[in-house]
Amino acid sequence: LAKSIVLPLVETPRAVPTDRLREDRAMLIRVIQPVTTIDGSVLAILDGGVLLNRNFRFVDEIRDLVYGPGSLAAGSRGTVTVFLDDVRISTNVPGAGEERALGTRVSAEVRNTVLENRNAWVDRAFVVNDWYISAYEPILDDEGESVGMLYAGYLEAPFRAAMFRALKIISVVLVLGTLLAACIAYLGAKSIFRPIESIANVVRGTKSGKTLRIGNVGSIDEIGELGREFDSMLDSLEDHRHSIETAAADLEKKVEERTFELQQKNQHLQNSIDLLRQTRQQLAMAEKLAALGELTAGVAHEINNPTAVILGNMDVLVNEIGPHGDEVRTEIDLIIEQVYRIRTIVDQLLQYSRPSAYAGYVEWVDVNDVLKDTMMLVHHELVRCSCELREHYADLQMVQINRQELQQVLVNLIVNASHAVDRGGVVSISTSAWGKLGVIIKIRDNGRGIPPGELRRVFDPFYTSGKAGGTGLGLSVSYGIIRRYGGQITVDSLLSEWTEFQVKLRFEPVYESDDEVIEEFYKEFVE
């Protein structure tokens, strides 16, 4: 293989003189790849390369890629060469006859620019025995040293011949045009036609939208008078056009201003309507809770009396039986336990009639921590429905609220979301800031959604979507808890797509009556 690459150097015009008689070096595109074991240690090295000396397929494929059919002028040819130093070791540039010009060398100016200074050459250059439109790029080894050049170019002679033909044609056209212009100038010099031609040019220019004037035609007869009057008429038309454009611009500006004002008023009206609808829903909910509270207060009062009698008689019964009651001690304890359970249920019902009296112990809590603790409580529900949980917690300030009551609300909302999605559904929980007022908790699912006609009823007492075991008090109780601390709880849904509950908590609780809610709405509506 080493013997096959030896090339005798061919004396080439314009090349740098040299005492060398042959080129016996080779150029390789070489790749070395380590072979490693499973643990990453190097076991061997794979070394391979492509020899470029006399690699005619390499340069011919590049030539066919660069100079496709129809890309060059007739009679020209595209050529590609790989140089080792300044010697052609693989080329399709023809030498003497039709043989490839192997062993010939590049011109001195190209060698200095590309090999010595490592700059690309894009210009005409003398290649072997003719001039070519050429591009040379230095080939660098892995140490950044110039070891050769890559050349692409095409024969200049066909283009030079085409240029000379074009110059001849242009010269002929120029001479003919000059003669024609002289004739036109001679004819146009006649004074009788010059003013009329000026008027005709202005008419044509005005028709195409240009602003032209006849000016001084150098005539004081009827033609000159016609030119001056025509210019005066054009000036009047131009003034009217400017006036119309100015008026149209002013009108468009006023229309935009009125449109913008109308859009703002429509937006304000829509905001007021939305605020009115929300407040009306809140007032309706407050009335429902108040009516339910009055009912439960009466029921609780009637139930508390007999439960107190039962507890008192049970104490008397236990004292009277004494040690003989050990045999039925379990039944007695069960009766007392159930009576206390009744009283607990009654106390919970009383929260509807006197919510402020039953407000829990208020403390500073981190909403994100409460959510993380809540996720441990509802983990089994999420596992049961095989749904995906996505959480995103923002960095928030702490709020004042009863921790257990907030956790009760969150458990209720998350469990409802897990019941609403199908197997493999998604439940998303996120927190964010509520401006400067507090924080927002969003609980979203991609379940079956809520029909638009039922959205306003989800917080009604005893309203249920029909799920097994539901009492219809979960969302109503949650609504009462959040409103008790001056917060807000809202719902939005798209049927068969998603449902999202938003819980807005203030940094510090604000206990509001129904009258205060109405007054706050009135202020917002007026503003």
Side-chain angles (χ1 to χ4, degrees):
L1 185 62
K3 294 179 181 179
S4 67
I5 66 171
V6 176
L7 284 175
L9 296 186
V10 178
E11 185 175 353
T12 308
R14 296 179 177 268
V16 176
T18 181
D19 296 329
R20 298 173 57 205
L21 299 178
R22 64 177 185 170
E23 180 59 68
D24 55 3
R25 296 174 296 172
M27 180 179 290
L28 289 169
I29 298 177
R30 187 183 186 191
V31 177
I32 300 177
Q33 173 67 31
V35 180
T36 60
T37 61
I38 295 177
D39 59 359
S41 60
V42 177
L43 180 64
I45 293 176
L46 180 63
D47 188 352
V50 176
L51 180 64
L52 297 183
N53 295 51
R54 297 181 184 273
N55 193 337
F56 301 139
R57 178 182 176 185
F58 180 78
V59 293
D60 289 345
E61 286 183 352
I62 296 178
R63 177 198 60 193
D64 295 339
L65 177 65
V66 176
Y67 304 105
S71 62
L72 296 176
S76 183
R77 72 166 75 90
T79 55
V80 175
T81 300
V82 177
F83 288 86
L84 176 57
D85 197 3
D86 63 347
V87 180
R88 291 178 175 85
I89 60 173
S90 182
T91 182
N92 44 43
V93 174
E98 291 300 322
E99 297 179 354
R100 299 176 185 254
L102 295 177
T104 58
R105 299 168 57 225
V106 75
S107 61
E109 57 268 26
V110 174
R111 173 187 173 87
N112 293 335
T113 301
V114 181
L115 279 180
E116 301 296 336
N117 300 325
R118 302 181 189 175
N119 294 323
W121 172 287
V122 181
D123 203 345
R124 65 193 299 265
F126 189 80
V127 178
V128 181
N129 53 16
D130 206 342
W131 287 93
Y132 284 71
I133 303 299
S134 307
Y136 291 83
E137 183 77 12
I139 298 177
L140 307 180
D141 61 10
D142 55 347
E143 296 180 357
E145 298 294 330
S146 299
V147 296
M149 296 177 291
L150 178 63
Y151 153 86
Y154 52 88
L155 195 61
E156 184 190 58
F159 293 91
R160 189 165 54 243
M163 180 185 68
F164 289 145
R165 286 196 300 271
L167 288 176
K168 292 178 181 178
I169 294 173
I170 292 174
S171 300
V172 172
V173 171
L174 182 60
V175 170
L176 293 177
T178 303
L179 295 176
L180 180 61
C183 294
I184 294 175
Y186 172 78
L187 297 175
K190 297 180 179 180
S191 60
I192 189 171
F193 296 110
R194 189 163 49 243
I196 297 176
E197 185 178 0
S198 299
I199 295 174
N201 290 335
V202 171
V203 171
R204 287 192 293 268
T206 303
K207 184 177 179 180
S208 62
K210 299 179 180 179
T211 303
L212 300 177
R213 295 294 183 270
I214 299 173
N216 185 14
V217 297
S219 177
I220 58 175
D221 54 8
E222 290 80 1
I223 295 178
E225 181 69 18
L226 176 62
R228 290 187 291 272
E229 293 297 330
F230 195 78
D231 281 350
S232 177
M233 182 186 67
L234 291 179
D235 292 337
S236 298
L237 291 176
E238 186 70 18
D239 293 340
H240 285 300
R241 186 178 66 82
H242 283 302
S243 300
I244 293 173
E245 290 179 351
T246 303
D250 293 339
L251 179 60
E252 184 177 358
K253 182 178 180 181
K254 290 181 180 179
V255 170
E256 291 178 354
E257 292 176 353
R258 297 298 184 268
T259 303
F260 180 72
E261 292 176 0
L262 182 59
Q263 290 176 348
Q264 285 187 324
K265 292 184 182 297
N266 288 339
Q267 185 63 40
H268 292 162
L269 180 59
Q270 185 62 43
N271 294 339
S272 300
I273 293 174
D274 294 341
L275 183 60
L276 178 60
R277 183 175 62 253
Q278 294 175 5
T279 306
R280 182 177 60 186
Q281 293 176 357
Q282 293 177 1
L283 292 177
M285 178 61 64
E287 291 178 359
K288 293 176 182 179
L289 293 178
L292 182 61
E294 292 177 3
L295 175 63
T296 55
V299 174
H301 178 71
E302 295 300 327
I303 294 176
N304 274 335
N305 290 335
T307 55
V309 173
I310 294 173
L311 286 175
N313 288 332
M314 288 303 298
D315 289 338
V316 175
L317 181 62
V318 171
N319 292 332
E320 290 294 332
I321 294 177
H324 298 290
D326 293 339
E327 296 180 359
V328 291
R329 174 61 60 184
T330 302
E331 286 75 9
I332 293 173
D333 292 341
L334 182 60
I335 293 172
I336 295 174
E337 179 183 348
Q338 295 304 313
V339 171
Y340 276 109
R341 183 182 176 189
I342 292 173
R343 297 189 68 175
T344 301
I345 295 173
V346 170
D347 289 339
Q348 292 178 351
L349 291 175
L350 285 174
Q351 294 183 19
Y352 286 105
S353 59
R354 298 190 300 273
S356 59
Y358 286 87
Y361 170 73
V362 175
E363 58 182 324
W364 288 101
V365 299
D366 187 333
V367 173
N368 293 336
D369 290 342
V370 176
L371 274 168
K372 293 175 183 178
D373 294 341
T374 304
M375 298 314 302
M376 299 176 62
L377 300 178
V378 299
H379 177 71
H380 64 285
E381 289 288 342
L382 299 175
V383 173
R384 181 189 60 78
C385 69
S386 300
C387 57
E388 178 185 353
L389 177 65
R390 297 178 182 175
E391 301 175 84
H392 177 72
Y393 301 132
D395 188 11
L396 303 172
Q397 300 183 35
M398 303 180 74
V399 300
Q400 275 192 331
I401 196 172
N402 181 269
R403 185 184 185 92
Q404 285 70 31
E405 290 184 336
L406 176 58
Q407 196 168 67
Q408 176 186 351
V409 173
L410 297 176
V411 168
N412 190 13
L413 295 178
I414 297 173
V415 170
N416 285 349
S418 67
H419 290 169
V421 298
D422 298 326
R423 297 184 66 85
V426 178
V427 176
S428 302
I429 301 174
S430 63
T431 59
S432 60
W434 183 19
K436 298 182 180 179
L437 298 178
V439 301
I440 300 177
I441 304 172
K442 295 181 181 179
I443 300 175
R444 184 186 181 102
D445 65 76
N446 64 345
R448 52 184 173 272
I450 302 173
E454 299 184 13
L455 271 178
R456 65 182 65 183
R457 300 178 53 204
V458 294
F459 297 113
D460 289 354
F462 305 112
Y463 169 80
T464 176
S465 60
K467 66 181 181 180
T471 63
L473 285 175
L475 290 177
S476 178
V477 171
S478 300
Y479 180 87
I481 291 174
I482 298 302
R483 288 297 301 172
R484 185 188 309 156
Y485 294 99
Q488 298 179 14
I489 179 170
T490 59
V491 61
D492 195 9
S493 180
L494 182 61
L495 190 61
S496 302
E497 293 290 339
W498 53 267
T499 301
E500 181 178 275
F501 283 86
Q502 288 193 17
V503 179
K504 299 180 180 179
L505 302 174
R506 297 178 182 269
F507 290 129
E508 296 183 6
V510 178
Y511 305 102
E512 299 175 336
S513 64
D514 292 343
D515 294 337
E516 291 172 338
V517 172
I518 296 174
E519 183 178 356
E520 179 182 357
F521 161 73
Y522 179 74
K523 291 180 180 179
E524 293 181 358
F525 181 78
V526 172
E527 291 175 358

